[in-house]
Amino acid sequence: MLRCDQTAAWNQLGEHFASSGKSFDARTALAQDASRVNALSQAAPHVFADLSKNRIDAATEALLMQLARECGLEVQRDAMLSGEAINSTENRAVLHTLLRRKQPVAVIESAQSATHLIANADKLSAVHSVLKAMLAYAESIRADDEITDIVNIGIGGSDLGPAMATIALDEFVTPKKRFHFVSNVDGHELAATLKHLKAKNTLFLIASKTFTTIETMTNAESAKAWFTAQGGTDTARHFAALTTNVQAANAFGITTTFGFWDWVGGRYSLWSAIGLPLAIAIGAENFRQFLRGAADMDEHFATAPLEKNLPVRLGLLDVWYRNFHGFTSRCVAPYHSALRRFPAYLQQLEMESNGKRVDKAGQALPFHTSPVVWGEPGTNGQHAFFQMLHQGTEVIPLEFVAVKHAAHAMQDHHTKLLANAIAQSQAFLQGKSSEDGHRHFPGNRPGSFFVLDALTPASLGALIALYEHRVFVSGAIWGINSFDQFGVELGKVLAKDVEARLLSGNVQGVDSSTAQLISKLQ
Ligand code: F6P
């Protein structure tokens, strides 16, 4: 498998960038080429994408496809889907797609997917037995009127996914329960949540893949202490654990557990037992629809030719922007307030996956990897940071997510919202000439535009899977391991040491700045 910079296409892309890519103007391209919109638009399952305002054309895409082939993208994709241990630093398979596969009998359509299923039959049947148990439990909680508050305690992948999706699918959420997500070790978060709750009406879900994460364990201990102090005794009824480490959950005193497996990465775990708060919120059938939407996108990713494969096109566009144009960040602007936590979710997905500086062999990379991913819903962002996107010195590709049908009846609001999304994408492209520099908009600022028909469990599932696969694609081209996260370890180890020093006041052996901070905050 060649790393991108060892391929012929990489050099050709460099030449192509110097000769025409750098000065490419999407305005001119759109004006001159009547087929451009069509060529750079595509319907994928549940998601329509218009990529035509980006700084690419057929020649760029052809070279990017050549790059993908030289890097063995299809082989790498199939290795992931078939359960090879592609997380090489931890010797683990990466099989979050298995979590949303339908039962084998219903799904064997192509020889390829059949092979995948036979190889992973045991895992798939384990997936379905946990799913069945977890959805039955979700329904029992939904029917239990005494439980009014669900508190998910987890962080990172054990928080962002279920929190984001529960907010996004608010329209489908039972009005009979309130959902709380406590992630930070900052006690203000837990205290602010607990002060409104009663033990007899509360269900705590302790969500942790490892069941060792300091923040989660600290919050879980405090929740247990609060529960006992409130007179709560029935832990089996009021606590459930979502974890791969059932033993540790049992040792903590939790007997109601839903398991998953080491081949599910934390940031890819929303589809597993970690999705339980979402399943309670939207119900079993909607949760199955959510999985189905993602499975539809998986099927597209697994089978569509590269040229018509949306995650592939997006992942390659990301490489083009990061490595040739040198764009350092990408902004995601969902034009739907229910998607307000989507950018935060994507930050972990993309930056924890692809924020790597060495290739799979551990060699330092001579090119850049993950951009900074950030964003806020429109139209709010328009009145805040869009100024910089329109007229700042850096070019930052912008991604719009618009939803055609609103979930409310105030159509005039929705028309205004959609008009703003379209107008902004138009403004970024067109710009506006003015003799007065302050009033000049350079334009040709690249943007992608995604359209969902409605924000439903299925379309949200597909949208998330689209991003998951896109991140896989750029990671595969860069030749990195997108599935480990050693970068988070150092701070965790040092925090333990600093915690002890904050208690003891001993600053011996630490640098003078850190010593000062310890003394100040002691
Ligand atoms: O600190 C990073 C991380 O390991 C994430 O990858 C993960 O999603 C999060 O911590 C939480 O981990 P756990 O689910 O094991 O508590």
Side-chain angles (χ1 to χ4, degrees):
M1 219 72 73
L2 289 180
R3 201 175 72 189
C4 54
D5 56 325
Q6 297 156 350
T7 64
W10 192 257
N11 291 333
Q12 289 171 35
L13 278 161
E15 287 161 16
H16 174 67
F17 178 73
S19 65
S20 60
K22 197 174 174 187
S23 57
F24 184 84
D25 194 320
R27 278 171 296 209
T28 323
L30 273 165
Q32 288 177 353
D33 179 2
S35 64
R36 179 176 172 84
V37 177
N38 196 27
L40 286 166
S41 296
Q42 129 157 53
H46 309 278
V47 183
F48 172 83
D50 178 349
L51 310 181
S52 65
K53 293 188 178 91
N54 283 295
R55 295 189 187 179
I56 41 168
D57 60 8
T60 320
E61 273 214 305
L63 284 172
L64 289 169
M65 293 299 158
Q66 187 191 323
L67 175 68
R69 293 200 163 91
E70 284 189 70
C71 292
L73 178 64
E74 286 155 299
V75 176
Q76 295 198 57
R77 173 197 63 194
D78 294 347
M80 173 175 73
L81 296 175
S82 61
E84 283 179 36
I86 64 162
N87 176 353
S88 49
T89 50
E90 297 176 305
N91 193 27
R92 287 177 184 166
V94 174
L95 273 172
H96 47 278
T97 51
L98 207 65
L99 300 168
R100 51 226 191 187
R101 266 199 183 273
K102 291 170 231 165
Q103 292 278 25
V105 264
V107 84
I108 298 180
E109 288 139 13
S110 67
Q112 191 189 40
S113 57
T115 318
H116 292 171
L117 286 174
I118 291 158
N120 294 299
D122 290 352
K123 291 191 179 85
L124 190 59
S125 89
V127 163
H128 280 280
S129 69
V130 175
L131 180 63
K132 205 170 149 200
M134 140 190 175
L135 293 185
Y137 178 75
E139 285 300 328
S140 75
I141 298 297
R142 282 165 68 83
D144 186 338
D145 288 338
E146 212 192 358
I147 300 290
T148 54
D149 289 86
I150 317 293
V151 182
N152 190 78
I153 294 181
I155 197 165
S158 301
D159 164 73
L160 287 163
M164 175 275 289
T166 303
I167 295 168
L169 296 175
D170 184 55
E171 198 51 32
F172 298 82
V173 172
T174 172
K176 290 188 181 164
K177 318 241 178 253
R178 286 178 294 264
F179 292 84
H180 314 269
F181 291 86
V182 175
S183 55
N184 204 321
V185 75
D186 181 348
H188 294 104
E189 210 172 79
L190 184 63
T193 305
L194 293 179
K195 76 178 172 201
H196 301 295
L197 305 182
K198 289 198 177 72
K200 71 175 177 36
N201 304 122
T202 303
L203 170 64
F204 291 99
L205 302 175
I206 312 301
S208 175
K209 177 175 172 180
T210 54
F211 226 78
T212 57
T213 305
I214 293 289
E215 291 90 334
T216 303
M217 291 303 105
T218 307
N219 280 324
E221 288 287 1
S222 299
K224 197 163 81 168
W226 172 88
F227 179 74
T228 312
Q230 291 262 316
T233 47
D234 193 352
T235 335
R237 173 165 162 72
H238 292 276
F239 282 79
L242 325 173
T243 185
T244 61
N245 191 353
V246 172
Q247 226 180 349
N250 292 157
F252 182 88
I254 300 181
T255 48
T256 310
T257 59
F258 298 93
F260 60 110
W261 308 271
D262 70 356
W263 41 265
V264 180
R267 53 195 172 274
Y268 300 88
S269 62
L270 171 58
W271 322 98
S272 71
I274 293 294
L276 181 59
L278 177 65
I280 298 172
I282 64 175
E285 183 43 37
N286 280 324
F287 192 81
R288 285 193 186 277
Q289 291 297 333
F290 176 65
L291 298 180
R292 231 162 267 158
D296 291 341
M297 190 58 78
D298 296 341
E299 188 67 18
H300 169 74
F301 180 51
T303 58
L306 297 189
E307 284 75 8
K308 278 286 161 199
N309 194 312
L310 188 55
V312 170
R313 294 175 91 180
L314 290 170
L316 292 172
L317 180 62
D318 294 339
V319 170
W320 174 239
Y321 280 163
R322 188 74 187 99
N323 301 117
F324 296 92
H325 281 279
F327 299 153
T328 55
S329 85
R330 197 173 77 243
C331 178
V332 181
Y335 274 70
H336 195 306
S337 68
L339 288 171
R340 60 188 171 274
R341 291 296 284 160
F342 192 50
Y345 174 80
L346 294 180
Q347 284 180 329
Q348 186 196 17
L349 177 63
E350 188 150 348
M351 293 161 77
E352 200 173 69
S353 296
N354 286 349
K356 309 287 163 66
R357 53 173 290 283
V358 296
D359 66 14
K360 280 187 190 147
Q363 298 299 312
L365 295 171
F367 50 81
H368 288 297
T369 56
S370 179
V372 175
V373 178
W374 59 286
E376 278 286 322
T379 61
N380 293 1
Q382 293 174 205
H383 299 275
F385 54 80
F386 269 41
Q387 164 63 38
M388 180 202 176
L389 301 183
H390 282 293
Q391 289 188 313
T393 50
E394 280 205 46
V395 173
I396 297 172
L398 181 61
E399 231 152 67
F400 297 86
V401 183
V403 178
K404 185 171 179 181
H405 297 292
H408 57 74
M410 295 174 286
Q411 189 53 44
D412 60 324
H413 286 245
H414 203 57
T415 307
K416 287 187 174 78
L417 177 72
L418 295 181
N420 270 278
I422 298 168
Q424 286 293 331
S425 92
Q426 188 186 23
F428 281 114
L429 174 81
Q430 285 181 354
K432 184 170 169 280
S433 285
S434 172
E435 305 263 298
D436 175 356
H438 300 287
R439 291 176 171 79
H440 179 78
F441 291 67
N444 193 29
R445 303 240 152 164
S448 301
F449 203 110
F450 300 136
V451 179
L452 309 183
D453 201 43
L455 189 55
T456 63
S459 68
L460 181 67
L463 184 69
I464 300 170
L466 171 67
Y467 275 87
E468 285 180 350
H469 295 321
R470 161 200 202 153
V471 167
F472 173 85
V473 169
S474 52
I477 300 296
W478 287 325
I480 59 181
N481 181 358
S482 299
F483 299 100
D484 60 14
Q485 58 283 320
F486 294 110
V488 301
E489 297 304 328
L490 177 60
K492 287 187 193 173
V493 173
L494 291 180
K496 277 197 179 160
D497 175 65
V498 172
E499 187 183 345
R501 289 176 186 278
L502 274 173
L503 294 172
S504 69
N506 174 10
V507 293
Q508 263 185 358
V510 297
D511 66 84
S512 51
S513 167
T514 306
Q516 170 176 263
L517 296 176
I518 291 170
S519 306
K520 279 234 171 250
L521 288 168
Q522 218 192 339

